[in-house]
């Protein structure tokens, strides 16, 4: 204690200077909008760069695992495409039609690869930051996916970064999805807790499905194309009002080790959103 008092007595003028400088800095940036915005922008850029360096180091040490997953995934998809082409060719004796349909469907979408530089999974409302922004063609309300399935939706963008609302966000995440091969659809909701489990709500009572069926994006929104994997049905419950089913789904995306993602840019999204806005405006302006 004596040494601490002696240190303070000896250097009190420096400590006082540091205290006053800190207080003046806080007051300057807190009560002046211009200086505050400059500080906020600079701090965000520095933090984003630090997150990017950290993500680069982590990504380097996980390249082996990522490459293995991508190789297996690509092999699985190639097998599916080959089987579909063979079956279609056996039925129609014409494989060029299917190829033309695939190219026409894929031409609607531009895929923008990105890396995750910041990610949380243990909060009530989690967010993900990626290293692509407006300069790369990323815009708000674009869907984000990875090799294993759906990730989330772009929420905010800057020139070189974007913030994504993932499935693991209680307040803001609602993704339209359907049971593969069944045609019944509902919306995906996460309620916190286990980051590997979410729930599909509002599946109609007359729907026919079973445990183990796959859930995928429905394509009924202007964000995700149909067929992106969501997860597998683990349990089936009745809804609170008894009018629909509630499905417990094991998510196919492992958010705990998410590194590489793809932003899905649909050329028709702008047209769909403008149409929806026109409908909303018409309803608002309609006489009551």
């Amino acid at each position: 204690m004596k040494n601490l008092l002696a240190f303070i007595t000896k250097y009190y003028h420096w400590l006082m200077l540091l205290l006053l400088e800190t207080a003046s800095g806080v007051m300057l940036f807190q009560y002046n909008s211009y200086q505050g915005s400059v500080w906020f922008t600079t701090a965000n850029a520095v933090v984003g760069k630090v997150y990017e360096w950290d993500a680069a180091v982590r990504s380097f040490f996980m390249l082996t695992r990522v490459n293995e997953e991508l190789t297996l995934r690509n092999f699985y998809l190639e097998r599916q495409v080959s089987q579909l082409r063979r079956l279609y060719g056996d039925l129609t004796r014409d494989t060029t039609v299917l190829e033309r349909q695939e190219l026409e469907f894929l031409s609607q979408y531009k895929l923008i690869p990105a890396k995750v530089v910041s990610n949380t999974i243990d909060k009530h409302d989690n967010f993900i930051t990626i290293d692509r922004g407006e300069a790369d063609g990323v815009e708000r309300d674009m869907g984000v996916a990875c090799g294993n399935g759906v990730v989330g939706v772009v929420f905010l963008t800057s020139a070189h970064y974007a913030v994504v609302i993932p499935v693991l966000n209680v307040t803001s995440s609602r993704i339209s999805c359907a049971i593969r091969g069944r045609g019944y659809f509902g919306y995906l909701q996460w309620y916190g807790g286990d980051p590997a489990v979410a729930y599909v709500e509002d599946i109609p009572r007359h729907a026919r499905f079973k445990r183990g069926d796959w859930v995928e994006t429905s394509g009924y929104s202007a964000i995700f194309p149909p067929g992106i994997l969501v997860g597998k049905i683990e349990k089936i419950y009745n809804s609170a009002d008894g009018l629909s089913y509630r499905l417990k789904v094991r998510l196919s995306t492992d958010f705990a080790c998410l590194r590489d993602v793809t932003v899905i840019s649909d050329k028709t999204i702008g047209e769909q959103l403008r149409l929806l806005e026109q409908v909303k405006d018409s309803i608002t302006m309609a006489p009551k």
Side-chain angles (χ1 to χ4, degrees), residues 35-60:
Q35 287 83 355
S37 63
V38 171
W39 166 257
F40 182 79
T41 303
T42 305
N44 275 350
V46 172
V47 171
K49 186 58 69 174
V50 171
Y51 278 144
E52 185 176 358
W53 290 339
D54 178 71
V57 173
R58 294 183 183 218
S59 179
F60 175 80

Side-chain angles (χ1 to χ4, degrees), residues 15-143:
L15 296 175
M16 184 61 69
L17 176 63
L18 180 61
L19 179 63
L20 292 175
E21 288 287 347
T22 302
S24 61
V26 171
M27 294 176 65
L28 175 65
F29 293 115
Q30 185 173 358
Y31 297 104
N32 293 274
S33 58
Y34 175 73
Q35 287 83 355
S37 63
V38 171
W39 166 257
F40 182 79
T41 303
T42 305
N44 275 350
V46 172
V47 171
K49 186 58 69 174
V50 171
Y51 278 144
E52 185 176 358
W53 290 339
D54 178 71
V57 173
R58 294 183 183 218
S59 179
F60 175 80
F61 289 105
M62 293 188 67
L63 283 177
T64 301
R65 181 179 175 182
V66 170
N67 286 335
E68 290 175 353
E69 291 179 354
L70 289 176
T71 300
L72 291 174
R73 186 69 179 171
N74 287 337
F75 175 77
Y76 172 72
L77 292 174
E78 288 293 338
R79 287 290 302 275
Q80 277 193 323
V81 171
S82 298
Q83 290 173 0
L84 287 173
R85 282 177 176 163
R86 185 166 57 253
L87 290 173
Y88 188 87
D90 292 341
L91 292 173
T92 64
R93 304 298 179 185
D94 182 12
T95 59
T96 60
V97 176
L98 180 61
E99 292 176 357
R100 288 198 301 269
Q101 290 176 344
E102 288 178 353
L103 292 174
E104 182 179 355
F105 177 78
L106 292 174
S107 66
Q108 301 177 16
Y109 301 96
K110 175 186 177 183
L111 303 181
I112 305 171
K115 289 191 177 294
V116 174
V117 298
S118 175
N119 181 23
T120 61
I121 62 172
D122 58 349
K123 302 183 183 303
H124 182 270
D125 291 324
N126 295 287
F127 292 94
I128 295 173
T129 303
I130 59 176
D131 65 347
R132 292 291 183 269
E134 296 169 0
D136 307 291
V138 177
E139 300 177 5
R140 181 170 178 168
D141 293 327
M142 285 184 175

Side-chain angles (χ1 to χ4, degrees), residues 150-153 166-167 173-177 186-189 217 224 230:
V150 68
V151 173
V153 180
V167 172
S173 179
R174 301 287 191 282
I175 296 175
S176 177
C177 53
Y187 68 90
L188 186 69
Q189 174 71 62
T217 54
F224 289 103
V230 172

Side-chain angles (χ1 to χ4, degrees), residues 126-128 130 134 138-144 152-158 161-166 169 172 223 263:
N126 295 287
F127 292 94
I128 295 173
I130 59 176
E134 296 169 0
V138 177
E139 300 177 5
R140 181 170 178 168
D141 293 327
M142 285 184 175
V144 181
V153 180
V154 175
F155 177 58
L156 292 174
T157 60
S158 63
Y161 295 94
V163 175
V164 177
I165 295 178
N169 188 297
S172 304
I223 297 176
V263 182

